[in-house]
């Protein structure tokens, strides 16, 4: 027994020693945690509940060129109540103070029960008046349940405006110092939310002009878990978004997987820097006019979509851009994407300007030379492998099957495919690569690199021209694809004396009223061709409006328009019997003699029988041109009073003939110089309808302006100066193949086109064809 007791004691001793050795490390770790590492762990605990969090800056505003807000950020507030509690110092008993394991733990409700019970009815009444979507009873039950459940994140209202927030700051319970607030009403005081109120501030993007130029200005686009911006918003995001700040926030709870944080009053925070403002090139007045005019055109003609762009010639600033697409019978037409910048199309006859530029620049082309029109078969050169090549038939629109000849200038004006193809076939059928390379040298053949966040397609032109069909089709705008803006960039270069500038959508970046950065014109090509070629092409484009495919809609404007119509078939490659679909366009610039603006209009798949660029696109062009010239260029666009006869006068001619003619007709006219030595006179009409003549001095060594002269006077004057003169038509001179004031040498050929004073308008101004037949 003694031995057994000794063994028991030894076992107890061993067990005691084992317990001691196990307890000592635990006690030591507790002591170490409390006194050695306590500060560090308390800091970590605090950092997990209170930390610096990012604060977004207010996004900058996008303005129009005329100072209107196109996109701006307005702050809205999401307001919550924290019905939770906080620990307080020992010895102060509050609503929720209680004993835990026999010891008092002191808590204080952020909103006391007394305050809540006293002022809940007043709060609910105030809320139902400011936000009547809920009744008094609904607010009462909602807040009562949230307070009972000690909801740490009770939503009072989301999306509150600044004005509404200011009013809510005076509501009981929400307002700081609710209990004594009645006493304070007798003295001025600044109300503020009590510390139990959580206010999340966020910005919403507002577009005061609705969907106007929506895809150009830009908006938020979802991208994975986040979002990005398109348009101007996306490209200039680094300027608009500003620099985010930081502030201390405390962790409240995690609700539905979302961590809820509330700001902590603390001076240790970094203030956010608001974003910069940008000034777009868009003019809201012109944008509105462009959209309305385009809408009228596409809706009346039931087109699939249409676009219009107006650009300032020297700077490349885009003043208006609109793209409207048919959505459905309910929504009608809307801007679904930026068709003008992202949708490429075969330009058709607007491409003939490029073809003629290459021919003129190569020196292989005489503007007065005769070319065939109507219908013509073009042949490959015979080879041993192909001794009998098959012809490629090209036919002009509205052709009756006959073949005639005309000058190349007139062929361009009436948009003859046969006449356009003939000089290319003559000069380049055996050197097609050279022809293509020359086309590339004058066109924008790469993406424009627009200051818009969008996916711009690269221009396309068929590379392999071994097929004669492709060579001829390329001459009048098939087997190539460009966006409307890419095509306008080319026409704008013609108007800008050959200098090709990049289209721009932003003119300035500002911080308040201070200009941080100004966007200067970006030159893409200093010169696309010679001045002589530009002068001839300018006259060609004016001739299209005055005598050709656009005269029905665009002729006789006081300021003058130069441009080219285009109509292409879209589904020419389809073999089925579907109705043919067309794309109508017009590209040009104005005023014709001093271009300030360029413009392009494209109408895709109209369904009301009007398919031609001169009929569909030209009126939209004219609407914009009239507004710009009448308002922005301060031109007098008064229309002649009804019943007032047009002035019957010889515009320009020999002084002796004019004197005799007007004296015999008994028409009153004035001369600014009555000297008998004056040989030539030019005329204008004053506000009272009187004809005023002034001397016209022939420019030495330069081409004179023959417009308005009779054929007799023009031929006499030009031959005396050493020109070889050819005449087409009858009446008075309306255009000439050599541009006025360009240098010339004796023996140069010049073609004068004559028309009656009131020419009969054609029944159709242009046409459309398949690539192997015709287009306008």
């Amino acid at each position: 027994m003694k031995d057994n007791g000794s063994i028991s004691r030894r076992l107890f001793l061993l067990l005691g020693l084992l317990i001691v050795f196990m307890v000592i490390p635990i006690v030591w770790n507790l002591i170490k945690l409390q006194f050695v590492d306590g500060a560090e762990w308390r800091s970590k605990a605090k950092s997990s509940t209170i930390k610096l969090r990012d604060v977004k800056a207010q996004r900058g505003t996008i303005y129009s060129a005329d100072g209107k807000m196109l996109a701006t950020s307005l702050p809205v507030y999401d307001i919550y109540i924290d019905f939770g509690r906080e620990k307080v110092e020992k010895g102060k008993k509050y609503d929720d103070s209680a004993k835990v394991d026999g010891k008092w733990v002191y808590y204080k409700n952020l909103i006391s029960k007394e305050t809540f019970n006293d002022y809940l009815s007043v709060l609910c009444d105030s809320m139902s008046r400011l936000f009547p979507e809920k009744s008094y009873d609904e607010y009462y039950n909602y807040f009562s349940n949230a307070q009972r459940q000690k909801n740490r994140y009770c939503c009072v209202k989301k999306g509150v405006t600044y004005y509404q927030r200011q009013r809510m700051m005076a509501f009981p319970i929400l307002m700081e110092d609710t209990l004594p607030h009645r006493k304070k009403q007798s003295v001025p005081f600044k109300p503020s939310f009590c510390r139990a109120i959580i206010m999340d501030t966020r910005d919403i993007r507002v577009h005061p002009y609705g969907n106007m130029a929506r895809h150009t200005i830009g908006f938020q686009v979802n991208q994975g878990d986040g979002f990005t911006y398109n348009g101007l918003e996306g490209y200039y995001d680094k300027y608009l978004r500003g620099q985010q700040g930081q502030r201390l926030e405390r962790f409240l709870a995690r609700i539905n997987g979302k961590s809820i944080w509330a700001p902590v009053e603390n001076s240790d925070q970094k203030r956010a820097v608001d974003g910069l403002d940008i000034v777009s090139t868009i003019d809201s007045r012109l944008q509105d006019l462009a959209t309305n005019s385009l809408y009228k055109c596409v809706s009346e003609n039931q087109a699939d979509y249409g676009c219009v762009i107006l650009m300032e010639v020297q700077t490349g600033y885009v003043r208006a851009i609109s793209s409207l697409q048919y959505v459905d019978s309910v929504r009608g037409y809307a801007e679904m994407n930026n068709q003008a910048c992202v949708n490429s199309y075969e330009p058709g006859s607007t491409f003939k300007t490029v073809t003629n530029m290459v021919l003129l620049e190569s020196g292989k082309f005489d503007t007065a030379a005769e070319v065939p029109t109507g219908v013509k078969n073009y042949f490959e050169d015979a080879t041993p492998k192909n001794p009998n090549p098959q012809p490629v038939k090209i036919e002009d629109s509205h052709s009756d099957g006959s073949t005639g000849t005309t000058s190349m200038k007139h062929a361009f004006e009436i948009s003859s495919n046969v006449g356009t193809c003939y000089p290319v076939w003559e000069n380049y059928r055996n050197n097609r690569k050279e022809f293509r390379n020359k086309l590339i040298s004058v066109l924008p053949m790469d993406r424009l690199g627009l200051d818009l966040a969008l996916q711009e397609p690269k221009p396309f032109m068929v590379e392999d021209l071994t097929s004669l069909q492709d060579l001829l089709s390329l001459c009048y705008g098939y087997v190539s694809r460009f966006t409307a803006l890419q095509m306008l960039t080319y026409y704008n270069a013609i108007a800008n004396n050959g200098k090709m500038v990049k289209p721009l959508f932003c003119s300035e970046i500002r911080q308040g009223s201070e200009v941080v950065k100004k966007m200067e014109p970006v030159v893409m090509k200093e010169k696309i061709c010679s001045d002589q070629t530009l002068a001839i092409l300018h006259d060609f484009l004016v001739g299209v409006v005055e005598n050709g495919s656009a005269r029905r809609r665009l002729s006789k404007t006081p300021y003058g328009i130069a441009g080219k119509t285009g109509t292409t078939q879209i589904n020419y490659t389809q073999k089925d019997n579907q109705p043919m679909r067309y794309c109508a366009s017009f590209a040009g610039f104005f005023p014709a003699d001093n271009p300030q603006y360029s413009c392009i209009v494209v109408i895709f798949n109209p369904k009301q029988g009007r398919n031609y660029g001169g009929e569909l696109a030209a009126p939209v062009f004219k609407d914009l041109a009239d507004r710009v010239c009448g308002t922005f260029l301060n031109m007098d666009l008064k229309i002649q009073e009804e019943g007032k006869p047009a002035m019957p006068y010889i515009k320009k001619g020999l002084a002796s003939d004019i004197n005799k003619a007007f004296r015999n007709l008994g028409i009153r006219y004035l001369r600014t110089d009555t000297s008998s030595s004056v040989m030539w006179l030019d005329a204008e009409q004053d506000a009272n309808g009187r004809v005023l003549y002034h001397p016209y001095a022939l420019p030495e060594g330069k081409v004179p302006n023959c417009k308005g002269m009779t054929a007799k006077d023009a031929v006499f004057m030009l031959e005396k100066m050493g020109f070889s003169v050819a005449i087409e038509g009858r009446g008075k001179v309306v255009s000439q193949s050599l541009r006025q004031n360009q240098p010339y040498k004796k023996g140069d050929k010049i073609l004068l086109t004559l028309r009656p004073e009131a020419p009969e308008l054609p029944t159709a101004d242009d046409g459309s064809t398949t690539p192997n037949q015709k287009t306008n």
Side-chain angles (χ1 to χ4, degrees):
M1 294 296 297
K2 185 176 181 181
D3 291 339
N4 289 340
S6 177
I7 293 171
S8 298
R9 286 194 299 273
R10 290 173 184 171
L11 288 174
F12 281 121
L13 179 60
L14 182 61
L15 181 61
L17 290 173
L18 182 62
I19 292 172
V20 168
F21 281 115
M22 291 178 63
V23 169
I24 289 175
I26 295 174
V27 173
W28 167 247
N29 283 327
L30 288 174
I31 295 172
K32 184 174 181 290
L33 182 66
Q34 180 69 26
F35 299 103
V36 179
D37 299 330
E40 179 184 352
W41 285 105
R42 281 191 294 272
S43 176
K44 287 183 178 180
K46 183 178 180 181
S47 67
S48 65
T49 57
I50 299 179
K51 64 169 61 175
L52 280 173
R53 287 171 53 83
D54 293 336
V55 179
K56 287 185 178 180
Q58 185 172 17
R59 195 169 180 83
T61 297
I62 299 178
Y63 291 95
S64 67
D66 53 323
K68 303 293 194 309
M69 283 186 181
L70 299 179
T72 189
S73 291
L74 294 180
V76 294
Y77 309 91
D78 298 337
I79 298 176
Y80 303 85
I81 298 179
D82 182 359
F83 284 114
R85 60 185 184 176
E86 61 182 353
K87 282 186 178 182
V88 292
E89 296 178 8
K90 182 179 178 180
K92 294 183 178 178
K93 295 182 181 180
Y94 292 99
D95 298 336
D96 282 1
S97 299
K99 279 188 176 182
V100 178
D101 295 333
K103 295 184 178 180
W104 280 100
V105 180
Y106 302 98
Y107 292 98
K108 175 184 178 182
N109 285 335
L110 294 174
I111 297 177
S112 68
K113 291 181 180 179
E114 178 186 8
T115 299
F116 182 81
N117 294 332
D118 287 349
Y119 294 103
L120 177 59
S121 59
V122 182
L123 172 63
C124 295
D125 182 67
S126 300
M127 289 292 294
S128 62
R129 291 175 184 272
L130 185 58
F131 304 108
E133 58 268 23
K134 284 186 180 181
S135 66
Y136 169 90
D137 290 337
E138 288 175 317
Y139 279 116
Y140 193 95
N141 293 331
Y142 174 71
F143 289 129
S144 297
N145 291 334
Q147 195 270 346
R148 247 188 332 268
Q149 296 169 7
K150 301 190 184 307
N151 191 333
R152 304 297 308 271
Y153 203 58
C154 172
C155 179
V156 179
K157 185 68 180 175
K158 289 185 178 180
V160 174
T161 65
Y162 177 81
Y163 167 75
Q164 292 169 335
R165 189 198 75 159
Q166 294 301 101
R167 289 190 59 182
M168 292 175 71
M169 287 172 66
F171 288 1
I173 297 179
L174 305 184
M175 190 182 74
E176 189 74 60
D177 299 331
T178 296
L179 286 173
H181 85 280
R182 291 179 180 176
K183 301 177 182 177
K184 291 189 175 183
Q185 287 182 354
S186 59
V187 294
F189 77 102
K190 182 179 180 181
S192 61
F193 284 123
C194 73
R195 61 190 303 270
I197 300 303
I198 304 164
M199 184 171 63
D200 287 345
T201 305
R202 55 188 172 89
D203 289 335
I204 58 171
R205 206 66 173 158
V206 177
H207 299 84
Y209 286 84
N211 287 330
M212 186 173 74
R214 180 170 179 257
H215 282 263
T216 300
I217 297 165
F219 51 89
Q220 276 190 18
V221 180
N222 292 330
Q223 189 178 61
D225 294 334
F227 64 86
T228 184
Y229 289 92
N230 59 12
L232 284 167
E233 293 269 20
Y235 190 87
Y236 291 98
D237 181 62
K238 65 180 180 180
Y239 297 103
L240 289 166
R241 68 171 177 252
Q243 299 177 16
Q244 66 184 13
Q246 288 185 319
R247 68 182 177 191
L248 279 175
E249 296 183 0
R250 60 186 172 91
F251 176 77
L252 293 181
R254 190 169 182 83
I255 300 177
N256 297 327
K258 179 183 177 182
S259 297
I260 308 303
W261 297 80
V264 174
E265 292 296 330
N266 194 295
S267 59
D268 295 330
Q269 55 182 301
K270 176 184 174 183
R271 295 186 63 83
V273 179
D274 291 343
L276 302 178
D277 302 329
I278 69 171
V279 180
S280 76
T281 60
I282 301 295
D283 188 292
S284 65
R285 298 161 294 183
L286 295 176
Q287 180 67 35
D288 187 53
L289 177 69
T291 301
N292 290 335
S293 182
L294 181 64
Y295 179 84
K296 180 181 177 182
C297 178
V298 295
S299 59
E300 287 180 354
N301 294 280
Q302 297 181 16
D304 285 354
Y305 70 81
C307 65
V308 55
I309 315 168
L310 178 73
M311 188 158 71
E312 205 170 75
V313 167
Q314 294 185 354
T315 62
Y317 288 167
V318 177
R319 294 305 185 190
I321 179 170
S322 183
S323 300
L324 295 178
Q325 179 179 345
Y326 182 75
V327 183
D328 52 43
S329 58
V330 177
R331 289 177 288 177
Y333 288 88
E335 186 171 302
M336 303 304 293
N337 59 35
N338 202 331
Q339 298 277 6
C341 299
V342 302
N343 184 67
S344 61
Y345 69 105
E346 290 179 303
S349 289
T350 54
F351 195 86
K352 289 176 181 174
T353 308
V354 190
T355 302
N356 278 269
M357 177 178 284
V358 167
L359 291 168
L360 288 166
E361 195 70 1
S362 66
K364 300 178 179 180
F365 172 56
D366 188 339
T367 58
E370 295 289 308
V371 295
T373 61
V375 181
K376 182 173 177 58
N377 289 322
Y378 291 91
F379 291 86
E380 295 272 16
D381 291 338
T383 64
K385 290 185 177 180
N386 187 16
N388 298 305
Q390 294 298 310
V392 175
K393 183 181 178 182
I394 302 296
E395 184 178 356
D396 288 337
S397 59
H398 307 293
S399 173
D400 58 3
S402 62
T403 301
T405 60
T406 187
S407 69
M408 190 60 204
K409 178 177 184 296
H410 188 56
F412 181 83
E413 291 173 347
I414 63 175
S415 206
S416 168
N417 303 322
V418 176
T420 301
C421 292
Y422 182 77
V424 175
W425 177 75
E426 264 200 334
N427 294 289
Y428 288 105
R429 69 176 182 270
N430 295 323
N431 197 354
R432 301 174 188 185
K433 186 176 181 181
E434 180 187 354
F435 177 63
R436 185 181 185 277
N437 289 339
K438 288 185 175 181
L439 290 174
I440 291 173
S441 69
V442 301
L443 284 166
M445 285 305 297
D446 203 351
R447 295 180 180 89
L448 297 173
L450 304 173
D451 53 343
L452 298 176
L454 49 73
Q455 296 296 320
E456 179 191 9
K458 188 175 181 179
F460 165 79
M461 186 186 298
V462 62
E463 292 187 17
D464 184 6
L465 290 177
T466 54
S467 164
L468 180 60
Q469 175 66 70
D470 285 348
L471 174 66
L472 298 178
S473 297
L474 182 59
C475 294
Y476 48 88
Y478 283 92
V479 294
S480 61
R481 298 189 72 86
F482 296 84
T483 67
L485 187 55
Q486 289 163 355
M487 207 65 203
L488 179 61
T489 302
Y490 167 75
Y491 274 85
N492 191 78
I494 299 175
N496 197 23
N497 296 318
K499 181 184 290 187
M500 185 178 289
V501 294
K502 175 182 172 180
L504 294 175
F505 290 87
C506 174
S507 60
E508 291 178 349
I509 298 175
R510 291 181 177 176
Q511 186 171 32
S513 59
E514 179 186 353
V515 177
V516 175
K517 184 177 182 180
K518 184 171 179 62
M519 307 304 175
E520 301 294 341
V522 179
V523 179
M524 299 170 61
K525 294 181 182 180
E526 280 290 346
K527 203 77 170 176
I528 60 173
C529 66
S530 66
D531 289 336
Q532 184 177 3
T533 298
L534 286 171
I536 297 172
L537 273 181
H538 179 279
D539 194 54
F540 275 29
L541 295 170
V542 170
V544 170
V545 173
E546 293 185 351
N547 315 304
S549 56
R551 63 175 174 169
R552 179 192 294 273
R553 296 289 185 176
L554 299 181
S555 64
K556 296 183 186 274
T557 57
Y559 47 88
I561 293 172
K564 184 71 185 75
T565 56
T567 308
T568 54
Q569 290 184 351
I570 300 167
N571 55 336
Y572 59 86
T573 59
Q574 294 182 358
K575 304 300 182 182
D576 51 25
N577 295 321
Q578 289 186 358
M580 192 56 66
R581 299 161 67 201
Y582 298 90
C583 179
S585 60
F586 184 87
F589 46 85
F590 60 93
D593 291 335
N594 182 25
Q596 301 294 313
Y597 293 89
S598 60
C599 182
I600 190 169
V601 182
V602 181
I603 308 298
F604 189 88
N605 193 26
K607 303 179 186 68
Q608 290 299 302
R610 296 167 63 197
N611 303 317
Y612 306 133
E615 288 293 323
L616 287 173
V620 181
F621 186 105
K622 188 174 184 297
D623 281 350
L624 269 174
D626 283 349
R627 173 65 66 87
V628 171
C629 291
T631 304
F632 296 88
L633 300 182
N634 298 318
M635 292 185 173
D636 186 5
L637 303 183
K638 292 180 181 177
I639 300 174
Q640 186 178 19
E641 295 177 12
E642 188 176 355
K644 184 177 180 179
M647 177 179 60
Y649 70 94
I650 301 171
K651 179 171 173 56
K652 189 182 296 180
L654 284 167
S656 57
D657 289 347
I658 291 175
N659 290 335
K660 183 179 179 180
F662 276 81
R663 187 167 56 250
N664 292 337
L665 290 171
I667 298 175
R668 183 175 60 175
Y669 75 100
L670 301 174
R671 281 182 57 176
T672 59
D673 188 330
T674 57
S675 172
S676 59
S677 63
V678 175
M679 185 174 184
W680 300 96
L681 292 177
D682 197 0
E684 60 186 16
Q685 189 176 21
D686 67 12
N688 298 318
R690 296 176 300 180
V691 181
L692 180 65
Y693 280 92
H694 53 81
Y696 177 69
L698 299 181
E700 187 175 350
K702 296 183 179 180
V703 178
N705 182 7
C706 302
K707 293 180 182 179
M709 299 181 74
T710 62
K712 172 188 171 184
D713 286 346
V715 172
F716 173 74
M717 179 178 71
L718 291 171
E719 286 185 344
K720 189 174 181 180
M721 297 176 70
F723 287 95
S724 175
V725 186
I727 295 177
E728 183 179 82
R730 59 184 179 84
K732 293 179 182 177
V733 179
V734 294
S735 68
Q736 57 195 59
S737 60
L738 299 180
R739 189 178 182 184
Q740 69 178 92
N741 294 326
Q742 78 175 68
Y744 79 97
K745 56 183 181 293
K746 289 189 177 182
D748 280 355
K749 294 181 180 180
I750 184 169
L751 173 68
L752 302 180
T753 302
L754 282 65
R755 293 285 184 274
E757 274 194 276
E760 181 182 352
L761 295 179
T763 56
D765 64 340
D766 56 2
S768 60
T769 64
T770 59
N772 63 335
Q773 292 182 345
K774 50 190 176 180
T775 183
N776 95 291

